[in-house]
Amino acid sequence: MAEIIAIDGPAGSGKSSVSKEVARRLGFGYLDTGAAYRALAWAVAEGKIQRPAPEQETFDGFDYEISLDPDNYWVKSFGADITDAIRLPEIASSVSAVAQVLAVRRFMKQLTRDLVASSSLPGVIVEGRDITTVVAPDAPVRLLLTASEEVRLERRAKELSPEDLATLRQQVLERDKSDSKVVEFMKPAEGVELIDTTNLNFEQTVQTVLSIIREQL
Ligand code: DC
């Protein structure tokens, strides 16, 4: 079974791009767990599945597939390729609500473990919010990537126009606040190594993560 490298962090911490690049350099798989929550928000918006209710005890009927290849990333749900659709702002603003349903979180935990188990690669970089604490607390390498609020917003803003900035600030901070209600990803759990990327560029962050993985695996 593939070794899990668990990486958590808030929005804009750089964890997705860093995880993908680290996976490439090590010949490992890359699993973006946020994509499953986004795909569920998409499926609810498209009427493919009923909106999960906070108190429901079980959750099923979600059709989902994701690639673990860092060079060929795609996400599919109910027969549609939704790789781009799940990045739209309306998904970003509706995903937290579905991610707070505990039955959904239990389902996603098992889904993530099954996806890793199906990989024949020596390792998979799994990134999200609760990987180091809930999904893979026994992983041989567990990292929490953070950065100051300002830097996280700056990184997210790079692709946007100035008038979108205020909306972005509101969206990113509100989403982190809302996500934090169900999982702790701003402070490292015991045994989790904290990497503050505020003053690191992309390559420096990749190198830091690679050296910790090489040391700990
Ligand atoms: O990393 P991301 O922005 O694509 O994540 C989308 C949402 O999914 C985010 O608002 C929080 C949620 N999420 C989660 O609750 N647990 C995870 N392991 C990954 C993501």
Side-chain angles (χ1 to χ4, degrees), residues 126-199:
V126 184
E127 58 101 339
R129 303 286 190 292
D130 63 345
I131 311 306
T132 62
T133 51
V134 176
V135 175
D138 300 325
V141 185
R142 293 185 300 148
L143 309 172
L144 182 70
L145 242 57
T146 58
S148 70
E149 200 171 285
E150 207 181 310
V151 164
R152 293 195 289 114
L153 289 167
E154 249 169 47
R155 287 177 187 159
R156 277 281 150 116
K158 278 208 177 121
E159 309 105 45
L160 296 172
S161 63
E163 58 268 33
D164 292 335
L165 279 180
T167 323
L168 174 87
R169 165 174 284 271
Q170 199 187 356
Q171 264 191 8
V172 168
L173 301 183
E174 266 176 19
R175 191 149 66 91
D176 281 347
K177 194 169 154 210
S178 162
D179 291 338
S180 295
K181 284 184 201 152
V182 283
V183 269
E184 170 64 79
F185 53 82
M186 300 301 263
K187 285 189 227 110
E190 205 186 324
V192 174
E193 187 139 355
L194 178 71
I195 305 175
D196 184 347
T197 70
T198 305
N199 298 308

Side-chain angles (χ1 to χ4, degrees), residues 43-71:
V44 168
E46 294 289 313
K48 310 269 183 201
I49 192 166
Q50 240 187 336
R51 175 175 299 284
E55 66 285 357
Q56 78 186 49
E57 282 176 12
T58 57
F59 171 76
D60 56 22
F62 177 47
D63 182 67
Y64 181 71
E65 276 178 89
I66 187 168
S67 152
L68 272 63
D69 180 350
D71 290 316

